[in-house]
Each structure stands twice: as structure tokens, then as C-alpha cells.
Amino acid sequence: MAIIEVKDLVKDYGNFRAVDGVSFEVDEGEIFGILGPNGAGKTTTVECVEGLRNRDGGSVSVLGLDPERDGAELRQVLGIQLQESRLPDRLRVGEALDLYGSFYRERANTDQLLEKLGLDAKRKTPFGKLSGGQQQRLSIALALVGNPRVAVLDELTTGLDPQARRDTWDLIEEVRDSGVTIILVTHFMDEAERLCDRLAVVDSGKIVALDTPAGLTARVSVEQRVRFRPSAAFPDSLLLDLPEVARVERSGPHVVVTGGENLLQAVASVLARNQIVAADLRVEQVSLDDAFVALTGKSLEN
Ligand code: ADP
């Protein structure tokens, strides 16, 4: 059942249309991703959902509430992790939770929350003395302190080291399993692939695709890719003559061959016939990144 409905959303900044007719629905209990390059309009979109910005067109409904008309009511059921949120350096973890908690009628058990986020020993630590990962976890705790039904998390793991990112992902799955519906704004493919049930791919203010990560990948999965280091030089035409091969690219000592079904067998047998040994042979899976490039003509990795 959809508990968030966004229809034909439009937001202008002066003459610039940052969000240009965006529509999507989020079901209860979903982790719904909004993925796109910087400047695509992701944050503006979720700010209109949160009621932090007024829209210029379209409609938004969150749990039956209109963020513009019912903002006060909506904030009681919505948890918001602000992008790069900074707190005063001297505010202690426990004080921050009490302060944010005071905005809500219903509050989470802060002891449990701090324990779940691995911050139970940090209750008295000032914000300025926390590590980047701890600050990030605190911002998630603050988004959850009002026991929200919907949480909006923006650039969840920016600036975290790999282990802290994986821990944060586990945590978000736990939050979802506890019944919270999550909108996740991200420009990280791996994060989107790992966490999201469905994804809206946004580019230049428009949704260019909306599907599960697997569904998005499947759109380009007719392609296969084989990568190897040949033992002897050979002309591209040797492989390009094969019906299975679409492209041959050179990357330093490596050859990367893209093509259709049975690519590996076809490439391996023609190399064998020509006494070429393929070292470091790898078959590469099509990733969400490939799907993104196919959909938008851009790469996200900057
Ligand atoms: P994203 O979150 O995908 O990076 P944003 O929603 O922050 O994108 O921004 C979308 C576009 O709107 C960008 O080109 C950005 O420069 C512009 N923009 C964002 N906020 C404002 C603002 N307050 N005034 C003018 N332009 C803005």
C-alpha cells in the first residue's frame, strides 16, 4: 500500500526548473531510493515531500497528509536526516537527543536508540569530539528519535570509511525491519543496489527510470563483458568478426570485449585457435552503474 504519493511535482528556483514533473509512490515498509548525479534535483524533491519547501506544481501526500497544508502534523510522523547536518560542537549526544525528542509527541526509547547505534558510551560526549562516523550515526539517531513512520535519509554514508558504511547499511535494514518506511537519497550505486527495494533514477529534474535494482540492471543485462590480458598481440578484427562480439576496447595490457550471449565461449575458442593465451580472464557482471550510464548517458562516479 502506497503511503507516499508524489504526482507531477514541479519546483522552480527563479527561471530554473529543478524538479520537472516527478511522480512516484512509496509503499509501506519499503526502502525507496532516489539516485542521481549532483544537481539532479534529489534534495529538492525530498524537501517538497518533507514540507521544507513549497512546490510550484503537482501534489504530494505522505500518510494522507499534504506537507504544505498539514506540515505540523506531518513532522510528528516524519524523521529527517539532514544532509551534512552540523550541531553546535559543545552540545552533548544525550542533550541533542533530548532536544530533538522534545519536538515530538511520541519518543523513541533513547537508551535503546543509542545502543542500537553504538553510541551508548558517548552520551556525555560533545558533538565536536565525535568521529565522522559517530556524528553520522547521531544524525540517524536524531532522525529516529520521534519514532517516525517515515524516515528520509539524505546522503547517508557520505564521508564514512568502508566499514562504517557497511555498519550503517545494516542499521538501516534494521530500522526498516522495525516498520519504518525509508526514502534514501544517494549518489552511490553500491548503496542503492544493496539497500533499496526500488529506485527512482533522477537526472535533470526528471525520473528517467523507476524499478528494482535488479530490474534496472536487467535492462542492460543482454550485454556481457569479458576482460583478459593476451599473451600475444592480435588485431581487434579477430574478435570483431565474431557475431557474439559488439565492441573491443583496449585498457593498458588488457582487452575488454563486450557482446551478447555465449561471449566467453566464442572469445575463448577464437583465441585458442590462434594460440593466444588469455591471462587474468574475467567475466564482468553488468552493474547498476552500467544501467545508469545506459539510462542517462552519464557516469555517477566522479
Ligand atoms: P541534488 O540533491 O540532486 O544534488 P538539488 O535538489 O540540491 O540536487 O539541486 C537541484 C538544482 O537546483 C541544482 O542545479 C541546484 O544548483 C539548484 N538549487 C538547489 N537549491 C537551490 C536554491 N535554493 N536556489 C537556487 N537554485 C538551487
Side-chain angles (χ1 to χ4, degrees), residues 13 16 18 37-44 53:
Y13 295 118
F16 177 70
N38 284 332
K42 304 180 299 294
T43 297
T44 305
R53 271 189 204 286

Side-chain angles (χ1 to χ4, degrees), residues 19-242:
V19 179
D20 188 7
V22 160
S23 301
F24 62 88
E25 296 188 349
V26 182
D27 291 336
E28 180 149 36
E30 249 190 324
I31 301 182
F32 184 86
I34 300 183
L35 179 76
N38 284 332
K42 304 180 299 294
T43 297
T44 305
T45 299
V46 295
E47 284 174 348
C48 292
V49 170
E50 294 159 343
L52 296 177
R53 271 189 204 286
N54 288 343
R55 58 188 179 264
D56 293 303
S59 62
V60 178
S61 165
V62 182
L63 295 157
L65 302 169
D66 179 333
E68 278 179 31
R69 205 188 48 216
D70 316 309
E73 195 55 33
L74 180 61
R75 277 187 280 282
Q76 290 295 328
V77 288
L78 196 65
I80 301 177
Q81 183 206 18
L82 295 171
Q83 202 181 354
E84 291 172 30
S85 57
R86 273 204 74 79
L87 294 169
D89 275 347
R90 289 162 73 175
L91 189 69
R92 295 174 199 278
V93 167
E95 292 168 347
L97 276 169
D98 288 343
L99 175 66
Y100 275 61
S102 71
F103 304 148
Y104 298 94
R105 278 195 299 266
E106 199 185 315
R107 282 185 223 172
N109 179 320
T110 48
D111 290 339
Q112 275 176 9
L113 198 56
L114 287 176
E115 197 186 321
K116 194 151 81 172
L117 286 147
L119 290 171
D120 37 345
K122 301 286 170 194
R123 193 180 265 280
K124 297 217 159 62
T125 307
F127 180 79
K129 293 260 157 59
L130 297 175
S131 70
Q134 290 164 346
Q135 291 184 350
Q136 190 81 348
R137 275 181 279 151
L138 177 60
S139 76
I140 298 169
L142 296 177
L144 299 176
V145 73
N147 256 345
R149 289 189 58 199
V150 175
V152 182
L153 309 172
D154 198 340
E155 299 298 351
L156 181 69
T157 61
T158 298
L160 296 189
D161 65 53
Q163 184 59 47
R165 294 185 78 208
R166 280 193 292 275
D167 290 348
T168 307
W169 293 343
D170 289 344
L171 175 75
I172 294 309
E173 282 177 334
E174 273 177 44
V175 171
R176 187 267 301 277
D177 292 345
S178 74
V180 181
T181 303
I182 295 172
I183 295 186
L184 184 75
V185 178
T186 186
H187 69 276
F188 294 121
M189 287 293 172
D190 52 351
E191 184 161 296
E193 195 155 25
R194 156 74 199 268
L195 280 182
C196 297
D197 298 304
R198 288 188 309 138
L199 276 173
V201 178
V202 180
D203 190 30
S204 304
K206 290 188 159 74
I207 292 184
V208 294
L210 200 164
D211 208 334
T212 59
L216 291 172
T217 309
R219 296 185 188 200
V220 291
S221 69
V222 283
E223 290 216 325
Q224 297 190 0
R225 201 180 304 147
V226 174
R227 181 187 171 92
F228 60 93
R229 191 162 45 82
S231 61
F234 67 89
D236 287 357
S237 58
L238 187 73
L239 296 173
L240 284 171
D241 285 347
L242 296 168

